Amino acid sequence: MPQQRQQPQRGRNGRPLVVARAVRGVALVGGLALLPLATACGGDADKSAENRSARTSAMSAPSAGVVAPAKVEVIAGLTGCKVKIRTDADELREGVCDTADGEYLITTFPAEKYKLTWLDSASLYGGKYLVGPQWAISAKPKTLETLRVKVGGTIEDLDAARTAAPGPKAS
């Protein structure tokens, strides 16, 4: 009896899962490779993690209580930027802005779980990020303050999270 050749599994978009996984991998690696560049200007090394953590928790949404939706172009428009899309993948979209407020990177995600994974990876590098539902903005801390007033969200200090996490023990 001749064997039938089995078709490869396909994802929701009709592509073979192997291709979809490869695209996701490339997008994730690309995003992570550029992450240190976005956070290198973070600064604030002289303040203790406790002070930054306490200050961060007080900064949530603007007085109107409005938080921007998860679309790069919409968030960029709210900040007065004509965005240049840098990454357009299934798991995230990234756009670069350069305005009078400063230079910043807007990253949006199709689901909250992707944002949480991205933030978890970003915590390896530390820095501060403006975070909202299904989006994050990477910029210098002063720029994040200005943007928070315009788009809402919470400034998260990933340096505090990184220093609070237990590390490997020296032998």
Side-chain angles (χ1 to χ4, degrees):
M1 188 164 171
Q3 286 185 330
Q4 289 184 341
R5 190 170 148 181
Q6 189 176 4
Q7 293 292 323
Q9 284 186 316
R10 298 196 179 270
R12 286 184 291 171
N13 60 6
R15 289 188 225 156
L17 286 179
V18 173
V19 173
R21 286 184 182 133
V23 170
R24 276 195 297 263
V26 168
L28 181 61
V29 168
L32 291 177
L34 296 170
L35 189 59
L37 297 174
T39 61
C41 302
D44 274 353
D46 59 332
K47 295 185 181 170
S48 73
E50 291 175 4
N51 288 344
R52 285 188 302 237
S53 179
R55 191 180 69 204
T56 299
S57 63
M59 300 180 236
S60 54
S63 58
V66 176
V67 179
K71 184 161 169 102
V72 172
E73 293 82 0
V74 173
I75 295 170
L78 291 171
T79 65
C81 160
K82 178 143 176 61
V83 70
K84 294 176 189 165
I85 299 298
R86 182 169 80 179
T87 305
D88 193 355
D90 291 340
E91 292 75 22
L92 62 86
R93 290 186 77 228
E94 289 181 325
V96 179
C97 285
D98 192 5
T99 66
D101 293 330
E103 189 173 329
Y104 47 97
L105 178 70
I106 302 168
T107 307
T108 61
F109 308 90
E112 193 70 9
K113 68 180 181 178
Y114 296 113
K115 179 187 84 177
L116 296 175
T117 300
W118 186 87
L119 285 171
D120 188 45
S121 297
S123 70
L124 295 172
Y125 303 99
K128 292 184 180 182
Y129 300 86
L130 180 58
V131 180
Q134 296 178 288
W135 57 265
I137 298 177
S138 309
K140 291 182 179 180
K142 185 175 180 180
T143 303
L144 291 178
E145 291 287 341
T146 304
L147 295 173
R148 187 184 64 79
V149 172
K150 295 178 179 181
V151 299
T154 303
I155 296 176
E156 292 194 19
D157 185 351
L158 299 184
D159 285 329
R162 185 179 62 180
T163 57
K169 302 206 185 248
S171 33

